[in-house]
Amino acid sequence: MFEKEINFIKSLFPDKKSIALHEPVFKGNEKAYVAETIDSTFVSSVGEFVTRFESMLCEATGAKYAVATVNGTSALHSALLLSGVKNGDLVITQSLTFVATANAIAYCGAEPLFIDIDEDALGLSSSALLIFLEENTTTKDGQCFHNDSGRKISACVPMHTFGHPCRIDEIVNICSEYFIPVIEDAAEALGSFYKEKSAGTFGSMGVLSFNGNKIVTCGGGGAIITDDENIAVLAKHMTTTAKKPHKYEFFHDMTGFNYRMPNLNAALGCAQLEKLSDFVLNKRQLAEIYMDFFKGSGFSFIREPENSRSNYWLCSVLVSDKNIRNAFLDFAHESGVMVRPVWEPMHTLPMYGKCPRGNLPITEKIAARLINLPSGVRL
């Protein structure tokens, strides 16, 4: 039934017996830099590559400061705490996201409040956000409260899904009117731009991920990016067990976390960042090829939103219904081609099923019909 589509995908990756969804490419200085860390013996969270990696992130995104962490989830957890999220608070986000977004909110003792997405960008909808805030919240003394529960809404976490920027400027402006700080979940969006500005640099903080399947990888890793020096200093302190600098004393002045990125991972990341522009160009070329192939078919290719330049971290198509989606997924996997559906929406999971939410018609529509295609850098 889907031989044409699967054979086409195989033709894009002719050197692969089985085709992964998104595997890393190591064709630069990765081995040399990792060997350098081993030779230096500085393989943990102290080392020159961590500093270099943070500097390269600033150069890549235009952010003034970057703080490298062990993964994207730890970066988001720290960013939420730095924004003042406390036990019992609500944090606005989207239901169509990777579970780490909701988990990081839960780590703070807070609860997600789910808002619908835009159909074109797949990220938090600014119009749905505004309607919800107008109809369901009250502001008082520079804070925003949810009317039904009386709980404070202490942050908003929109996600740039699959590298496609959401309408982040509108979201930031709306949240500003309601005294809600914005933390961008840009885990998938390194190398993506909205209105010529890097994803992750619109809110008070942005969060990045460097997991093995991201556009660049450290094996594991994440980062907080920000233009606020005070936030950056505190983020570095908090993620390094909150230890006060001293040549031999161990004094910690707050509850901190062992979230600092090891030098070994940063070395890998530096070599990967040297190739970022090449990776983005390669992946955008792949997106164009997919776009042309699926034109006029029963598959609708998801293009970058207006005013955006996406890294196309994962290329995606929409099909007519869930049955067609599942049939394609089964056929592809039997053929050695790894495709996947989008994540189960957070509001359908047992631990988040009772969280407050707005109406989610677009979320549910997209979740049933979306397929991610193999999207790795082609050598």
Side-chain angles (χ1 to χ4, degrees), residues 47-229:
E48 66 174 64
F49 280 106
V50 181
T51 303
R52 188 192 305 184
F53 182 68
E54 291 170 335
S55 178
M56 293 178 73
L57 284 178
C58 290
E59 183 177 353
T61 63
K64 292 182 179 178
Y65 306 98
V67 177
T69 63
V70 292
N71 51 52
T73 309
S74 62
L76 182 54
H77 179 208
S78 301
L80 289 164
L81 293 174
L82 290 163
S83 289
V85 176
K86 292 182 172 57
N87 187 62
D89 288 351
L90 295 175
V91 175
I92 293 171
T93 192
Q94 58 205 65
S95 180
L96 198 72
T97 184
F98 182 53
V99 71
T101 309
N103 285 349
I105 295 168
Y107 296 165
C108 300
E111 194 171 37
L113 191 168
F114 298 120
I115 301 295
D116 210 4
I117 59 172
D118 284 325
E119 190 164 358
D120 58 344
L122 305 180
L124 188 72
S125 169
S126 57
S127 57
L129 172 66
L130 180 58
I131 291 170
F132 184 89
L133 291 173
E134 287 177 339
E135 296 180 352
N136 297 279
T137 68
T138 301
T139 57
K140 181 181 179 181
D141 299 328
Q143 299 180 91
C144 183
F145 296 91
H146 182 229
N147 291 339
D148 285 350
S149 65
R151 298 159 72 183
K152 179 183 174 183
I153 300 175
S154 55
C156 176
V157 183
M159 181 189 184
H160 301 297
T161 309
F162 307 139
H164 299 309
C166 60
R167 293 176 174 83
I168 186 62
D169 56 345
E170 296 176 11
I171 291 170
V172 169
N173 289 338
I174 292 166
C175 286
S176 177
E177 294 179 8
Y178 285 83
F179 309 104
I180 301 171
V182 174
I183 303 166
E184 292 174 70
D185 187 340
E188 302 169 356
L190 180 64
S192 295
F193 290 81
Y194 181 70
K195 295 184 177 179
E196 300 184 354
K197 187 176 179 181
S198 178
T201 62
F202 288 80
S204 62
M205 284 172 274
V207 170
L208 304 172
S209 172
F210 309 103
N211 188 33
N213 65 355
K214 295 300 189 293
I215 190 166
V216 302
T217 183
C218 300
I224 298 169
I225 55 175
T226 183
D227 285 342
D228 189 315
E229 182 179 9

Side-chain angles (χ1 to χ4, degrees), residues 13-30:
F13 302 88
D15 56 330
K16 302 291 183 182
K17 290 185 178 179
S18 61
I19 300 173
L21 184 71
H22 194 294
E23 64 183 10
V25 172
F26 303 120
K27 292 293 183 179
N29 291 312
E30 289 88 356

Side-chain angles (χ1 to χ4, degrees), residues 304-366:
E304 62 191 357
E306 187 179 6
N307 298 317
S308 299
R309 181 176 172 82
S310 174
N311 67 8
Y312 280 103
W313 173 58
L314 289 182
C315 291
S316 309
V317 291
L318 292 172
V319 294
S320 57
D321 58 52
K322 190 172 184 176
N323 290 333
I324 295 295
R325 184 202 72 175
N326 289 349
F328 183 83
L329 293 172
D330 288 339
F331 186 85
H333 280 260
E334 290 167 3
S335 303
V337 176
M338 184 180 178
V339 296
R340 74 172 197 188
V342 72
W343 318 280
E344 288 292 327
M346 295 300 99
H347 72 280
T348 69
L349 301 181
M351 61 282 201
Y352 300 122
K354 295 183 179 179
C355 293
R357 61 179 185 263
N359 296 322
L360 303 173
I362 304 302
T363 296
E364 293 171 352
K365 176 183 175 182
I366 295 294

Side-chain angles (χ1 to χ4, degrees), residues 117 143 247 291 375:
I117 59 172
Q143 299 180 91
K247 58 185 177 181
M291 203 180 308
S375 304

